[in-house]
Amino acid sequence: MSIFGFRTRSAERDEATDAGRLERLARLLDELTNEISVEKAGLENRYRSATTDAAFLVDAIENDGVSDRSRDRVDDLTAAILSCEKRLAILARQVVLLDDFRKELASLATPP
């Protein structure tokens, strides 16, 4: 006990508390990365399907006289493709951010 009545916890207890906190944070970063991977995989599948469908429709429009409905479908697919590209870019930025967090986390886990 200090002369002023102020007590500190042991360094071992502080280290254990910090280690547990950093471990939980690392698990959370892994969970978030997995969520992003699942979302990205689903988006990429839909993206490939939409681009393939759009390509066939555009080819049909150029080679045949197709209905206005097919032209509308191309417009819908184009909008979906653009939306998907934007979302994939957002997910890519999130992955970069999580990677940066991991690097910072690793530096916190290393005592000065």
Side-chain angles (χ1 to χ4, degrees):
M1 181 166 181
S2 167
I3 193 165
F4 299 108
F6 179 76
R7 292 175 52 167
T8 60
R9 298 186 328 179
S10 72
E12 294 82 19
R13 183 175 173 191
D14 287 344
E15 288 172 12
T17 300
D18 290 345
R21 197 174 289 132
L22 294 175
E23 185 178 314
R24 287 193 321 271
L25 184 53
R27 280 195 310 266
L28 177 59
L29 293 174
D30 289 343
E31 289 174 21
L32 293 172
T33 299
N34 289 336
E35 287 176 18
I36 291 169
S37 292
V38 169
E39 182 179 352
K40 183 179 176 225
L43 277 172
E44 288 172 338
N45 287 336
R46 291 191 298 278
Y47 180 84
R48 280 190 296 277
S49 177
T51 55
T52 301
D53 290 351
F56 282 117
L57 279 172
V58 168
D59 188 49
I61 289 169
E62 291 174 353
N63 294 320
D64 306 320
V66 296
S67 68
D68 288 339
R69 189 172 140 194
S70 292
R71 293 178 195 278
D72 291 342
R73 177 72 177 135
V74 169
D75 292 340
D76 291 344
L77 287 169
T78 300
I81 290 166
L82 293 173
S83 177
C84 188
E85 288 173 347
K86 288 178 186 175
R87 183 63 184 159
L88 287 170
I90 289 169
L91 293 175
R93 288 195 315 268
Q94 289 178 9
V95 167
V96 168
L97 180 64
L98 291 174
D99 288 343
D100 289 345
F101 285 160
R102 273 192 192 83
K103 290 174 190 168
E104 185 66 26
L105 186 62
S107 73
L108 289 174
T110 306

